[in-house]
Amino acid sequence: MQIFTTGRSFWSEREINNAERKKMELVFHQCDVGKKGYLSREDLKIAVIMLFGYKPSKSETNILMENGADCPGVPLERFVSLMERKMSAEDPYEKTRQIFSAFDVHCRGFLKLDDFKSAFKRVAPHLPERTVLEAFRYADQDSDGHISFKDFENFISYGLANICSSTGATK
C-alpha cells in the first residue's frame, strides 16, 4: 500500500512479527465464546478492541465479517490474515500524534512549558516539577521554548525513560 501526501510517497506497511501473530491468535481464542472455531460479530468487535483499542464501526465490522465461506463467522486463519493486514497498515506515529494533541490544548502545533506542566499535572500529579522541567529541556532540543511534533516524537521514543530514571521519578 502506498500513501501519497503532498507530492511525496512512502511505504507505510510493515512486517508483522511472530509475537504479534501469537497475540492475534491468543486474542482470537479469548474472544471465541463457546469455542466454536470462529468469531461471531460481537466476538470480532471485542477482538478488535483488544488488539487496536477501539470499537470498529458497523461498516468496518461488515467488511471484516465478509468471508465468502460457509462459516457463520470469522475463522482463525481469516482473522489473523485480516488483523495482520490491518496492523501492517497502521500509522506508527498515530499514538504519538494523539498524545501530542492532548498536550497541545491550544492547537498551536507546538508545546510551551505551560502546556507540558499542565499535561503532566493531569496524568502524573505526583511527578516532581524538576522532572517536568528537565523533561521539557530535554525535549526542546534547540532551546527555543517550543517543542515541535518531531522533538516530541524523539522525546517519547528515547528521552522519557532516560529523564525519569535519571531523576528517580520511576522509584
Side-chain angles (χ1 to χ4, degrees), residues 20 22-33 35 39 42-56 79 83 86-87 90 95:
E20 290 169 319
K22 293 277 187 217
K23 181 178 181 183
M24 290 174 203
E25 291 174 9
L26 178 65
V27 166
F28 177 91
H29 292 298
Q30 289 173 335
C31 293
D32 180 10
V33 177
K35 306 299 176 219
L39 297 181
E42 292 306 311
D43 298 340
L44 181 61
K45 288 179 190 177
I46 293 177
V48 171
I49 291 169
M50 289 174 71
L51 288 172
F52 298 99
Y54 77 93
K55 183 180 175 185
F79 174 76
M83 296 305 110
K86 185 170 181 52
M87 194 173 280
E90 234 183 357
K95 286 184 175 62

Side-chain angles (χ1 to χ4, degrees), residues 52 90-105 109-111 116 119 139 147-160:
F52 298 99
E90 234 183 357
D91 180 355
Y93 302 107
E94 183 60 28
K95 286 184 175 62
T96 303
R97 204 175 288 112
Q98 288 173 354
I99 297 167
F100 182 84
S101 294
F103 275 56
D104 185 18
V105 294
F110 61 85
L111 305 176
F116 223 64
I147 298 173
S148 67
F149 175 76
K150 183 174 171 60
D151 291 338
F152 189 76
E153 178 196 9
N154 289 333
F155 169 69
I156 293 292
S157 298
Y158 309 109
L160 188 57

